[in-house]
CSV table of all heavy atoms in Angstrom, one decimal:
chain,number,residue,atom,x,y,z
A,12,VAL,N,-4.7,-13.1,0.9
A,12,VAL,CA,-3.4,-13.0,0.3
A,12,VAL,C,-3.3,-11.7,-0.5
A,12,VAL,O,-2.2,-11.0,-0.4
A,12,VAL,CB,-3.1,-14.2,-0.6
A,12,VAL,CG1,-1.7,-14.1,-1.3
A,12,VAL,CG2,-3.1,-15.5,0.3
A,13,ALA,N,-4.3,-11.3,-1.3
A,13,ALA,CA,-4.3,-10.1,-2.0
A,13,ALA,C,-4.2,-8.9,-1.1
A,13,ALA,O,-3.4,-7.9,-1.4
A,13,ALA,CB,-5.5,-10.0,-2.9
A,14,ALA,N,-4.9,-8.9,0.0
A,14,ALA,CA,-4.9,-7.8,0.9
A,14,ALA,C,-3.5,-7.6,1.5
A,14,ALA,O,-3.1,-6.4,1.7
A,14,ALA,CB,-6.0,-8.0,2.0
A,15,ARG,N,-2.9,-8.7,1.9
A,15,ARG,CA,-1.5,-8.6,2.4
A,15,ARG,C,-0.5,-8.0,1.4
A,15,ARG,O,0.3,-7.2,1.7
A,15,ARG,CB,-1.0,-9.9,3.0
A,15,ARG,CG,-1.5,-10.2,4.4
A,15,ARG,CD,-0.7,-11.2,5.1
A,15,ARG,NE,-0.2,-12.3,4.3
A,15,ARG,CZ,-0.9,-13.4,4.1
A,15,ARG,NH1,-2.1,-13.6,4.6
A,15,ARG,NH2,-0.4,-14.4,3.4
A,16,ALA,N,-0.7,-8.4,0.1
A,16,ALA,CA,0.1,-8.0,-1.0
A,16,ALA,C,0.0,-6.5,-1.1
A,16,ALA,O,0.9,-5.7,-1.3
A,16,ALA,CB,-0.1,-8.7,-2.3
A,17,VAL,N,-1.3,-6.0,-1.1
A,17,VAL,CA,-1.6,-4.6,-1.2
A,17,VAL,C,-1.0,-3.8,0.0
A,17,VAL,O,-0.4,-2.7,-0.2
A,17,VAL,CB,-3.1,-4.3,-1.4
A,17,VAL,CG1,-3.4,-2.8,-1.3
A,17,VAL,CG2,-3.6,-4.8,-2.7
A,18,LYS,N,-1.1,-4.4,1.1
A,18,LYS,CA,-0.5,-3.7,2.3
A,18,LYS,C,1.0,-3.6,2.2
A,18,LYS,O,1.6,-2.6,2.5
A,18,LYS,CB,-0.8,-4.6,3.6
A,18,LYS,CG,0.0,-4.2,4.8
A,18,LYS,CD,-0.9,-3.5,5.8
A,18,LYS,CE,-0.2,-3.2,7.1
A,18,LYS,NZ,0.8,-2.2,7.1
A,19,GLN,N,1.7,-4.6,1.6
A,19,GLN,CA,3.1,-4.5,1.4
A,19,GLN,C,3.4,-3.3,0.4
A,19,GLN,O,4.4,-2.6,0.6
A,19,GLN,CB,3.7,-5.8,0.8
A,19,GLN,CG,3.9,-6.9,1.8
A,19,GLN,CD,4.5,-8.1,1.1
A,19,GLN,OE1,4.1,-8.5,0.0
A,19,GLN,NE2,5.5,-8.7,1.8
A,20,ILE,N,2.6,-3.2,-0.6
A,20,ILE,CA,2.8,-2.1,-1.6
A,20,ILE,C,2.6,-0.8,-0.9
A,20,ILE,O,3.4,0.2,-1.1
A,20,ILE,CB,1.8,-2.3,-2.8
A,20,ILE,CG1,2.2,-3.5,-3.6
A,20,ILE,CG2,1.8,-1.0,-3.7
A,20,ILE,CD1,1.2,-3.9,-4.7
A,21,ILE,N,1.6,-0.7,-0.1
A,21,ILE,CA,1.3,0.6,0.6
A,21,ILE,C,2.5,0.9,1.5
A,21,ILE,O,3.0,2.1,1.5
A,21,ILE,CB,0.0,0.5,1.4
A,21,ILE,CG1,-1.2,0.4,0.5
A,21,ILE,CG2,-0.1,1.7,2.4
A,21,ILE,CD1,-2.5,0.0,1.2
A,22,ASP,N,3.0,0.0,2.3
A,22,ASP,CA,4.1,0.2,3.2
A,22,ASP,C,5.4,0.5,2.4
A,22,ASP,O,6.1,1.5,2.8
A,22,ASP,CB,4.4,-1.0,4.0
A,22,ASP,CG,3.3,-1.3,5.1
A,22,ASP,OD1,2.4,-0.4,5.3
A,22,ASP,OD2,3.2,-2.4,5.6
A,23,ARG,N,5.6,-0.1,1.3
A,23,ARG,CA,6.8,0.0,0.6
A,23,ARG,C,6.9,1.3,-0.3
A,23,ARG,O,7.9,2.0,-0.3
A,23,ARG,CB,7.0,-1.2,-0.3
A,23,ARG,CG,8.3,-1.2,-1.0
A,23,ARG,CD,8.5,-2.6,-1.7
A,23,ARG,NE,9.8,-2.7,-2.3
A,23,ARG,CZ,10.2,-3.6,-3.1
A,23,ARG,NH1,9.3,-4.6,-3.3
A,23,ARG,NH2,11.4,-3.7,-3.6
A,24,PHE,N,5.8,1.6,-0.9
A,24,PHE,CA,5.8,2.8,-1.9
A,24,PHE,C,5.0,4.0,-1.4
A,24,PHE,O,5.2,5.1,-2.0
A,24,PHE,CB,5.2,2.3,-3.2
A,24,PHE,CG,6.0,1.3,-3.9
A,24,PHE,CD1,5.6,-0.1,-3.9
A,24,PHE,CD2,7.2,1.6,-4.5
A,24,PHE,CE1,6.3,-1.0,-4.6
A,24,PHE,CE2,8.0,0.6,-5.1
A,24,PHE,CZ,7.5,-0.7,-5.2
A,25,CYS,N,4.2,3.9,-0.4
A,25,CYS,CA,3.4,5.0,0.0
A,25,CYS,C,3.6,5.3,1.5
A,25,CYS,O,2.8,6.0,2.1
A,25,CYS,CB,1.9,4.7,-0.2
A,25,CYS,SG,1.5,4.3,-1.9
A,26,GLY,N,4.6,4.8,2.1
A,26,GLY,CA,4.9,5.2,3.5
A,26,GLY,C,3.8,4.7,4.4
A,26,GLY,O,3.6,5.4,5.5
A,27,GLY,N,3.1,3.7,4.1
A,27,GLY,CA,2.0,3.2,4.9
A,27,GLY,C,0.7,4.0,4.8
A,27,GLY,O,-0.3,3.7,5.5
A,28,SER,N,0.6,4.9,3.8
A,28,SER,CA,-0.6,5.7,3.7
A,28,SER,C,-1.5,5.1,2.6
A,28,SER,O,-1.2,5.2,1.4
A,28,SER,CB,-0.2,7.2,3.3
A,28,SER,OG,-1.3,7.9,2.9
A,29,VAL,N,-2.7,4.6,3.1
A,29,VAL,CA,-3.7,4.2,2.1
A,29,VAL,C,-4.2,5.3,1.3
A,29,VAL,O,-4.5,5.2,0.1
A,29,VAL,CB,-4.9,3.5,2.9
A,29,VAL,CG1,-6.0,3.1,2.0
A,29,VAL,CG2,-4.3,2.3,3.7
A,30,GLU,N,-4.3,6.5,1.9
A,30,GLU,CA,-4.8,7.7,1.2
A,30,GLU,C,-3.9,8.0,0.1
A,30,GLU,O,-4.4,8.3,-1.1
A,30,GLU,CB,-4.9,8.9,2.2
A,30,GLU,CG,-5.4,10.1,1.5
A,30,GLU,CD,-5.5,11.3,2.4
A,30,GLU,OE1,-5.3,11.2,3.7
A,30,GLU,OE2,-5.7,12.4,1.9
A,31,GLN,N,-2.6,7.9,0.3
A,31,GLN,CA,-1.6,8.2,-0.8
A,31,GLN,C,-1.8,7.2,-2.0
A,31,GLN,O,-1.8,7.6,-3.1
A,31,GLN,CB,-0.2,8.2,-0.2
A,31,GLN,CG,0.8,8.8,-1.1
A,31,GLN,CD,2.2,8.7,-0.5
A,31,GLN,OE1,2.8,7.7,-0.3
A,31,GLN,NE2,2.7,9.9,-0.1
A,32,LEU,N,-2.0,6.0,-1.6
A,32,LEU,CA,-2.3,4.9,-2.7
A,32,LEU,C,-3.5,5.3,-3.5
A,32,LEU,O,-3.5,5.2,-4.7
A,32,LEU,CB,-2.4,3.6,-2.0
A,32,LEU,CG,-2.7,2.5,-3.0
A,32,LEU,CD1,-1.6,2.1,-3.9
A,32,LEU,CD2,-3.3,1.2,-2.3
A,33,LEU,N,-4.6,5.6,-2.8
A,33,LEU,CA,-5.9,5.8,-3.4
A,33,LEU,C,-5.8,7.1,-4.3
A,33,LEU,O,-6.3,7.1,-5.4
A,33,LEU,CB,-7.0,5.9,-2.4
A,33,LEU,CG,-7.4,4.6,-1.7
A,33,LEU,CD1,-8.4,4.9,-0.6
A,33,LEU,CD2,-7.9,3.6,-2.7
A,34,VAL,N,-5.2,8.1,-3.8
A,34,VAL,CA,-5.0,9.3,-4.6
A,34,VAL,C,-4.2,9.0,-5.9
A,34,VAL,O,-4.5,9.4,-7.0
A,34,VAL,CB,-4.3,10.5,-3.8
A,34,VAL,CG1,-3.9,11.6,-4.7
A,34,VAL,CG2,-5.2,11.0,-2.7
A,35,GLY,N,-3.1,8.2,-5.7
A,35,GLY,CA,-2.4,7.8,-6.9
A,35,GLY,C,-3.2,7.0,-7.9
A,35,GLY,O,-3.0,7.2,-9.1
């Protein structure tokens, strides 16, 4: 459930970029 929630955040705020999330 946590992984899906993080995926939603990545898609919503980082344009789907995990790298952008990690850099942030």
Side-chain angles (χ1 to χ4, degrees):
V12 174
R15 278 202 319 275
V17 171
K18 170 109 174 65
Q19 282 184 315
I20 291 169
I21 291 167
D22 291 345
R23 189 171 183 188
F24 296 105
C25 302
S28 170
V29 174
E30 181 180 351
Q31 194 176 69
L32 174 75
L33 291 174
V34 168

